[in-house]
């Protein structure tokens, strides 16, 4: 496994050189986590809420669609679906009203648990002297409050990027670039992105960060690798087990 990490970091550093970032090398100083499907086992609830809410507006959405579009701003997802299925160009306000219904249904569902390993990995990150940020396509205040309740020992609210902090959501690089800015105007090679969704992985790669995919959903590992993940892991617990090796290899580079 150490060789696997070593090779991933070597390839990442090669990309930095090929993109003419002279002197840049993987030197992580912060870890930027996606929220749904990474910190919380919440995607099954989101999929149900998406399906039920969109059906009210005559839009068909499968569970797989919820995973495929995860990370994108909710209003953007709705506008794309309305354009494709209804032939309508929704205004921002119209899409927001539909997203509000999706949000209402989501909050009626059971509270999603924190994934095993999340608290442990945050403890290890802080012990290494690194910062922690959260980058989510959500803008729901109750979710932000829960992040602070659950992880307030590791993060500050000023290091949480939401849909309202950027004009362009994932797969654009903007959310992760904003996360780097919030962490102290860090460079892309100073950040590690932890994602679970194709659009989020694409955003992390576009931002220039070393991107780890935790495959907590129904997608194949190959799907996430094709989007640009440097490493694909099965669980957050496996990231804990890999953490010291990752730090060691980054110091050796």
């Amino acid at each position: 496994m150490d060789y696997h990490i070593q090779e991933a970091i070597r390839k990442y550093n090669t990309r930095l050189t090929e993109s003419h970032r002279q002197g840049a090398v993987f030197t992580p100083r912060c870890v930027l986590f996606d929220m749904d499907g990474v910190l919380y086992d919440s995607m099954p609830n989101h999929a149900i809420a998406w399906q039920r809410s969109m059906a009210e507006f005559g839009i068909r959405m499968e569970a797989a669609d919820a995973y495929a579009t995860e990370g994108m701003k909710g209003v953007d997802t709705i506008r794309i679906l309305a354009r494709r299925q209804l032939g309508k160009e929704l205004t921002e306000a119209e899409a927001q009203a539909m997203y509000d219904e999706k949000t209402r249904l989501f909050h009626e569902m059971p509270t999603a648990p924190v994934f095993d390993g999340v608290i442990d990995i945050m403890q290890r990150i802080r012990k290494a002297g690194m910062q922690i940020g959260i980058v989510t396509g959500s803008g729901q205040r109750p979710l932000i409050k829960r992040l602070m309740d659950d992880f307030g020992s590791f993060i500050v609210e000023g290091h949480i990027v939401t849909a309202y902090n950027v004009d362009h959501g994932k797969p654009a690089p903007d959310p992760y670039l904003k996360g780097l800015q919030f962490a102290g105007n860090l460079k892309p090679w100073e950040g590690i992105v932890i994602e679970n969704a194709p659009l989020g992985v694409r955003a992390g790669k576009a931002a220039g960060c070393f991107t780890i995919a935790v495959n907590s959903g129904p997608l194949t590992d190959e799907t996430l690798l094709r989007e640009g993940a440097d490493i694909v892991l099965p669980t957050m617990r496996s990231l804990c087990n890999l953490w010291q090796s990752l730090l060691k290899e980054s110091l050796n580079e």
Side-chain angles (χ1 to χ4, degrees), residues 87-99:
K88 293 182 178 179
E89 289 292 338
L90 299 180
T91 65
E92 187 89 9
E94 289 171 332
Q96 184 64 54
M98 296 165 70
Y99 184 64

Side-chain angles (χ1 to χ4, degrees), residues 134-233:
I134 296 173
V135 178
T136 174
S138 173
Q140 303 171 36
R141 289 303 307 175
L143 291 180
I144 306 307
K145 181 181 183 303
R146 187 184 175 195
L147 286 172
M148 294 308 300
D149 289 343
D150 290 340
F151 309 117
S153 298
F154 308 104
I155 62 172
V156 295
E157 188 166 348
H159 287 187
I160 300 174
V161 178
T162 74
Y164 298 119
N165 295 121
V166 294
D167 292 328
H168 304 289
K170 303 170 188 177
D174 304 38
Y176 283 111
L177 292 175
K178 183 65 71 172
L180 292 169
Q181 180 186 333
F182 283 179
N185 293 313
L186 299 183
K187 302 297 185 183
W189 49 91
E190 296 177 311
I192 297 174
V193 165
I194 311 295
E195 265 287 352
N196 71 304
L199 297 184
V201 168
R202 199 186 308 171
K205 182 179 181 182
C209 296
F210 187 84
T211 302
I212 299 174
V214 177
N215 194 358
S216 61
L219 304 173
T220 64
D221 288 355
E222 288 71 25
T223 298
L224 298 168
L225 287 168
R226 280 197 303 270
E227 295 294 348
D230 292 287
I231 299 174
V232 178
L233 301 174

Side-chain angles (χ1 to χ4, degrees), residues 101-156:
E101 174 62 8
K102 182 264 177 182
T103 299
R104 184 188 69 80
L105 291 173
F106 176 78
H107 286 296
E108 288 182 349
M109 305 188 74
T111 300
V114 175
F115 273 117
D116 173 57
V118 169
I119 297 298
D120 284 352
I121 191 61
M122 286 191 175
Q123 289 174 336
R124 296 177 194 207
I125 293 167
R126 290 302 299 273
K127 185 177 180 180
M130 298 167 63
Q131 297 186 68
I132 295 172
I134 296 173
V135 178
T136 174
S138 173
Q140 303 171 36
R141 289 303 307 175
L143 291 180
I144 306 307
K145 181 181 183 303
R146 187 184 175 195
L147 286 172
M148 294 308 300
D149 289 343
D150 290 340
F151 309 117
S153 298
F154 308 104
I155 62 172
V156 295

